[in-house]
Amino acid sequence: MAGNLFDQLKKAGLINEQKAKQAKKAKYQQTKKSKGKRGDQAESEAAKLAAEAARKKAERDRQLNLEREQAQQQKAEQAALRQLIESNRLRGYEGELTYHFADEKKVKSLQVNKQTRQKLVNGEIRIVSFNNAYVLLSREAAEKVEQRDAALLIPLAEAEESMSEEDRDFYAKFAVPDDLIW
């Protein structure tokens, strides 16, 4: 009994040629569909994985671009601040008087002339910590700097608030010797 099953069934007379062809065709179509389903599943999974990877890459690229833009914006703001300070810094204020001020709990000093010292006391001139040095700016320029980065400005010396108005008036009668000016 050699040959395939269809040949054997034909010889036995259990099946005719037409039914054999229909059965072959049905089996072929069934195997084709089952292979297609497995291939479609594999293709759809691969497509899903590729789409997910593309989405993750797009999200990562978007985050990196956002960080880059923020860094560029910060650089631009710092450059504008630096230009503002450099263009508005006061020059020629050096003199024989020492002006003391507090910077981060440390007492620092600048050598200034009499007019500059009086303007510092009145708040017409402000001190800015810039590039590891101290720069004097007018009040208007200092306000612009404060809007951009208030941490650069050295706080103004404040009058002691625990003293009453009556005490201030009483002590105002007495002149402060030059060697005690702070």
Side-chain angles (χ1 to χ4, degrees):
M1 285 212 110
N4 62 19
L5 182 60
F6 286 117
D7 292 338
Q8 292 172 10
L9 290 174
K10 271 196 270 180
K11 285 182 185 176
L14 297 172
I15 193 167
N16 62 15
E17 186 72 30
Q18 188 179 8
K19 284 188 177 181
K21 284 183 181 180
Q22 284 178 350
K24 253 185 183 179
K25 187 176 179 182
K27 185 176 180 184
Y28 174 75
Q29 287 178 350
Q30 185 180 5
T31 57
K32 187 175 177 182
K33 283 183 183 177
S34 68
K35 284 183 181 178
K37 285 182 183 176
R38 279 187 254 135
D40 288 345
Q41 287 176 348
E43 287 177 18
S44 65
E45 283 186 40
K48 286 179 186 176
L49 290 174
E52 181 68 20
R55 187 187 61 77
K56 285 182 181 178
K57 184 180 183 311
E59 178 66 24
R60 188 173 57 247
D61 289 346
R62 189 182 66 77
Q63 285 290 343
L64 288 173
N65 284 340
L66 184 62
E67 289 173 7
R68 241 182 252 122
E69 287 174 5
Q70 287 175 347
Q72 287 176 344
Q73 185 178 7
Q74 281 183 336
K75 264 187 178 177
E77 288 173 0
Q78 290 297 323
L81 187 62
R82 183 174 24 260
Q83 183 179 10
L84 175 69
I85 292 172
E86 285 295 331
S87 64
N88 290 305
R89 77 186 305 169
L90 299 177
R91 301 186 192 292
Y93 61 83
E94 293 85 7
E96 66 283 347
L97 295 176
T98 303
Y99 180 77
H100 299 279
F101 58 96
D103 182 20
E104 296 179 5
K105 298 183 180 182
K106 293 182 181 177
V107 176
K108 303 288 183 166
S109 61
L110 283 175
Q111 294 298 116
V112 296
N113 57 34
K114 191 171 187 172
Q115 295 86 5
T116 304
R117 184 182 184 292
Q118 190 58 43
K119 287 180 181 181
L120 281 165
V121 170
N122 294 339
E124 297 173 28
I125 294 178
R126 296 286 306 267
I127 302 173
V128 176
S129 177
F130 177 68
N131 286 343
N132 297 326
Y134 297 104
V135 178
L136 298 182
L137 294 179
S138 66
R139 181 184 306 155
E140 296 81 23
E143 288 172 358
K144 292 177 185 176
V145 169
E146 186 173 21
Q147 291 171 356
R148 292 189 172 114
D149 189 0
L152 294 177
L153 286 175
I154 304 298
L156 292 173
E158 298 174 6
E160 189 174 331
E161 295 187 14
S162 63
M163 192 182 299
S164 69
E165 189 65 36
E166 186 178 301
D167 288 342
R168 286 191 200 130
D169 290 340
F170 176 76
Y171 286 114
K173 296 177 191 174
F174 302 101
V176 177
D178 287 342
D179 59 342
L180 293 179
I181 292 179
W182 213 78

